[in-house]
Amino acid sequence: MAEKVIDASYFIHKLIKEGRITFSKPLEEEFTYHDPCHLKRSLNIWQEPRESLQKAGLKLKEMFESDICCGMGGSYSLKFPEISVKILERKLKNIQDTGANLVCTDCPGCIMQIRGGADKKGLAFKVKHSLEVLAERL
């Protein structure tokens, strides 16, 4: 079964490369990308989401430590909230340092963690799933 299953962002990237998905609304916008731990470390997927977003007209502003955990870590944020918050604060600073107004990632848990931290601090950037951003530009 595992041999037949692939990640959605990897699949979409493949379709974009094959020309089976094209973008009719390629609005220029700067984004930074947060690598979800499971995607980068377990599946070795990290270039594909960035390339797909760039094909859709977005400009990448790579953040420092893009592949460092946001502090969510599944239930880690619930078991160790004090440590989770410190990890999140570092991630938020790295995001802010890029100057990008959009953060993309491919993990719902990371989206909740980063968006929640940004909202709590009143930070202006948006946090979205990369596939949501791509769909908006079809």
Side-chain angles (χ1 to χ4, degrees), residues 1-6:
M1 177 78 146
E3 293 174 7
K4 295 180 180 183
V5 178
I6 62 172

Side-chain angles (χ1 to χ4, degrees), residues 63-90:
M63 83 169 86
F64 179 63
E65 299 179 332
S66 64
D67 63 348
I68 299 295
C69 183
C70 66
M72 178 57 129
S75 61
Y76 187 88
S77 63
L78 300 173
K79 291 181 181 180
F80 305 102
E82 303 85 13
I83 298 170
S84 175
V85 166
K86 291 189 186 295
I87 295 169
L88 175 60
E89 287 174 359
R90 183 174 179 149

Side-chain angles (χ1 to χ4, degrees), residues 31-42:
F31 80 101
T32 193
Y33 187 82
H34 165 70
D35 292 291
C37 297
H38 76 279
L39 205 61
K40 174 97 185 242
R41 289 173 181 75
S42 297

Side-chain angles (χ1 to χ4, degrees), residues 26-129:
L27 306 172
E28 286 232 3
E29 186 173 8
E30 292 181 338
F31 80 101
T32 193
Y33 187 82
H34 165 70
D35 292 291
C37 297
H38 76 279
L39 205 61
K40 174 97 185 242
R41 289 173 181 75
S42 297
L43 300 175
N44 198 31
I45 296 172
W46 57 279
Q47 293 174 320
E48 293 86 350
R50 288 168 170 80
E51 289 174 7
S52 295
L53 290 161
Q54 289 173 303
K55 286 279 191 185
L58 287 94
K59 181 181 177 195
L60 176 62
K61 296 192 79 177
E62 195 68 66
M63 83 169 86
F64 179 63
E65 299 179 332
S66 64
D67 63 348
I68 299 295
C69 183
C70 66
M72 178 57 129
S75 61
Y76 187 88
S77 63
L78 300 173
K79 291 181 181 180
F80 305 102
E82 303 85 13
I83 298 170
S84 175
V85 166
K86 291 189 186 295
I87 295 169
L88 175 60
E89 287 174 359
R90 183 174 179 149
K91 178 60 68 173
L92 293 173
K93 181 193 179 311
N94 289 340
I95 291 167
Q96 284 182 284
D97 288 349
T98 69
N101 65 347
L102 173 63
V103 180
C104 296
T105 188
D106 284 84
C107 174
C110 295
I111 291 169
M112 289 187 331
Q113 176 83 340
I114 296 169
R115 185 182 290 158
D119 288 350
K120 194 172 188 176
K121 289 185 169 277
L123 303 177
F125 57 78
K126 299 172 281 186
V127 184
K128 294 185 174 187
H129 195 287

